[in-house]
Amino acid sequence: MADVLLRVEHLKKYFDTPGGTLHAVDDISFDLNRGETLGVVGESGCGKSTLGRTILRLYEPTDGTVYFENQEITSLSNKSMKVLRRDMQIIFQDPFASLNPRMTVSEMIAESLLIQKIFTRKQGPQLRARVTELMDLVGLSSKLINSYPHELDGGRRQRIGIARVLALDPKFVVCDEPVSALDVSIQAQILNLMQDLQDEFGLTYLFITHDLSVVKHLSNDIIVMYLGQMVEKAPAKELFSHPMHPYTRALLSAIPVPDPDYAVDRVLLKGELTSPIDPVPGCRFAKRCPFVTEACTKADIPLREITPGHFVACILV
Amino acid sequence: MQNPDDILSIEDLTIHYETDEGSVHALNEVSLAMKRGETLGLVGETGAGKTTLARGILRLVPSPPGVIKQGSVFFEGQDLLSLSESKMRSIRGSRISMIFQDPMTSLNPVMTVGEQIQEVVEAHNRDLRQDEIIRQANAMLEMVGIPAERSHEYPHQFSGGMKQRVIIAIALACNPVLLIADEPTTALDVTIQAQVLDMITALKKRLNTAMLLITHDLGVVAQNCDRVAIMYAGQIIELGNLDDIFKRPTHPYTRGLLGSIPSLTKDVKRLSPIKGLMPDPTDLPPGCKFAPRCRFVTEACERAMPEPTHLSETHQVRCILAEAEVRNG
């Protein structure tokens, strides 16, 4: 039996907007095993960041349940949730916006240790030793200990974000586009660091990104989201070798591959993402789908297991 | 040494920004030529000088702090750097156009998209009648796949991809010889990026426009360009056609960039990134700018900046290791 760390069941997050109810996350379920990485891909506005935040209860779910180590966390009090947050952390996309411009590197890393009462202010020497250890772990030179965020480049800022998370020795980390703002050579450094830390500490990642090559590189399983719904879920290799949902196929064929001989049969989509406000029943991708039939817009399309571990929400498959 | 086939020929262009913190060496002796109708990809990371080069061609480098230290930019036989401001203005937007990265901020929010295209048509064709201006503007809108009925709408009524189409329509309205596109699809999702790039490529073919495509995405280059220039710390360190760059990458930086990208087609367990960071542009190393990060660095690399070495008719590189190889056959 696989060791399930996180179980998400029928999770929904709706927002009330002046234009109607926005279905940001609409009935998502999955299991995530300890030590594995689940990639979540989709275009802007598909609900992937909302999914990550709702799992951590940074947004309160509209409906559905989340189990963490077999404990239901959706109904926990804020107090119990705060204790649990040691185990469940998040790395944000923009390392500049998520750091306090008036705190030094060491203050920011120490802050998470103090908030979670792992150390108290009185334990100065131990606290400093731990901060230095963490900086070393994420590859931040100790001479940066008194630097401010504006003095650092994007890669180093993201290393601070990672050190703050590691400080708490978490089990589960939501990584919300952690390398999207970085240049490719720096991006590769950070991805390698995240892999090393996962191996060393047995971390479990929910890796949210719009970059399909990054997600293929890191993930065991991948979820493809479209307008709040999961349209396909499969092991990484399987998804890239046998994509089944027309949206996944279009998404994969749209990636520019850095190889001039690489020829793809482009599935060029018409139009753009429609709005997830008060969606009508039926497949949400139907309007852009090149293979749309009448049946597609009649009723909601359930997710079906086509081959073991490969789930698709499309009636044509 | 101008080739008559070249529409654009940049020689030794050097641009610095004089700031309180020192002189930022944004562009250092860049030479580059482009032929009619070709697409040249300009690749580099943040701070490599890509945008300064693009702005330098159009003389849009803000001054102060920007100072053009030396060099020339020959376009259709005349040196743009010695033209009067009014002459330059007649070239911008009509012979050379530019598309900026962010479609959200390049459009005027209080003008309809139709008016914004008409404005360009009118500015460069003063004697056209109003109905003819509108007809041309609508034709441009249709050409980028937006129904002319939507010309009365405002930018906020358009999505990101549609706004970028409007900007492309404005850029191509006067049928320019050269289009400079600065990260035109970076702000867009991949499926929309694919639509927009396909459209730009089709249009430039039809109008025989040359394009300087600035991007950090080597995938976009491989799928859309004829030739590639790789920039690092204000210099072009490698230049070649697609096969030269993707199959025979020679400069250690180019090879490092290609090794940093997670592959979709191959299984790679671990990426091989380039160690360290780009040097501070106010304090560049005296020799090869990449030397502090280079795996193959020798003493000679740190002494003097290597000159471009021609590996073949199409392929040139600034690296003394390549120089030595060529010398030894």
Side-chain angles (χ1 to χ4, degrees), chain B residues 67-78:
Chain B
V67 182
I68 298 175
K69 287 281 181 187
Q70 59 158 338
S72 55
V73 179
F74 278 93
F75 174 72
E76 296 188 311
Q78 49 187 345

Side-chain angles (χ1 to χ4, degrees), chain A residues 40-312:
Chain A
V40 181
V41 287
E43 297 181 273
S44 36
C46 74
K48 53 193 193 301
S49 289
T50 307
L51 173 66
R53 289 171 193 212
T54 310
I55 290 170
L56 296 177
R57 284 186 60 199
L58 296 176
Y59 295 143
E60 285 304 325
T62 306
D63 197 11
T65 28
V66 177
Y67 299 91
F68 183 74
E69 299 196 303
N70 295 319
Q71 181 187 18
E72 199 220 303
I73 64 163
T74 14
S75 57
L76 285 183
S77 68
N78 281 344
K79 211 172 151 190
S80 332
M81 201 57 216
K82 185 177 170 189
V83 178
L84 204 63
R85 289 202 189 284
R86 262 193 219 186
D87 291 336
M88 309 177 79
Q89 282 291 312
I90 181 164
I91 301 172
F92 294 100
Q93 169 171 6
D94 184 344
F96 199 51
S98 55
L99 298 176
N100 185 335
R102 296 173 57 171
M103 284 170 89
T104 64
V105 172
S106 64
E107 282 167 351
M108 280 183 288
I109 299 174
E111 191 188 28
S112 50
L113 292 163
L114 292 167
I115 288 175
Q116 282 291 348
K117 300 197 173 64
I118 293 169
F119 290 98
T120 63
R121 291 225 176 257
K122 286 180 189 140
Q123 295 168 289
Q126 291 103 306
L127 181 62
R128 267 196 299 280
R130 177 71 176 142
V131 168
T132 320
E133 184 191 359
L134 286 163
M135 286 178 67
D136 188 45
L137 210 54
V138 298
L140 279 172
S141 150
S142 58
K143 66 173 186 233
L144 298 174
I145 197 156
N146 292 319
S147 304
Y148 289 92
H150 75 267
E151 299 175 293
L152 305 174
D153 62 280
R156 291 211 177 96
R157 285 181 205 146
Q158 199 53 291
R159 286 177 198 268
I160 301 175
I162 296 172
R164 276 156 65 94
V165 162
L166 277 187
L168 305 174
D169 202 6
K171 293 172 180 155
F172 170 62
V173 183
V174 172
C175 313
D176 190 359
E177 304 259 16
V179 294
S180 305
L182 307 175
D183 275 319
V184 280
S185 73
I186 308 299
Q187 173 176 319
Q189 292 174 1
I190 299 291
L191 290 177
N192 279 350
L193 172 68
M194 293 182 66
Q195 272 183 315
D196 292 343
L197 295 172
Q198 178 167 43
D199 292 344
E200 193 169 343
F201 300 104
L203 297 173
T204 306
Y205 288 146
L206 184 77
F207 202 99
I208 299 166
T209 180
H210 68 280
D211 187 331
L212 286 137
S213 48
V214 166
V215 94
K216 172 177 183 265
H217 181 70
L218 288 177
S219 309
N220 301 91
D221 285 344
I222 296 176
I223 289 176
V224 181
M225 282 183 75
Y226 191 80
L227 288 183
Q229 293 178 325
M230 191 195 294
V231 295
E232 188 156 3
K233 175 177 184 265
K237 263 195 190 152
E238 165 75 9
L239 188 83
F240 280 83
S241 53
H242 301 107
M244 291 190 197
H245 196 284
Y247 176 65
T248 312
R249 276 153 57 189
L251 199 59
L252 293 186
S253 77
I255 314 170
V257 175
D259 175 356
D261 294 340
Y262 186 82
V264 275
D265 287 329
R266 275 277 178 81
V267 188
L268 260 196
L269 290 179
K270 294 175 300 247
E272 306 195 11
L273 223 59
T274 44
S275 143
I277 293 174
D278 295 328
V280 290
C283 174
R284 290 185 191 169
F285 183 61
K287 269 194 188 149
R288 296 173 77 189
C289 184
F291 313 107
V292 64
T293 67
E294 219 176 288
C296 296
T297 49
K298 285 234 171 74
D300 282 333
I301 316 293
L303 207 62
R304 289 175 302 137
E305 189 164 10
I306 307 294
T307 55
H310 195 155
F311 298 83
V312 185

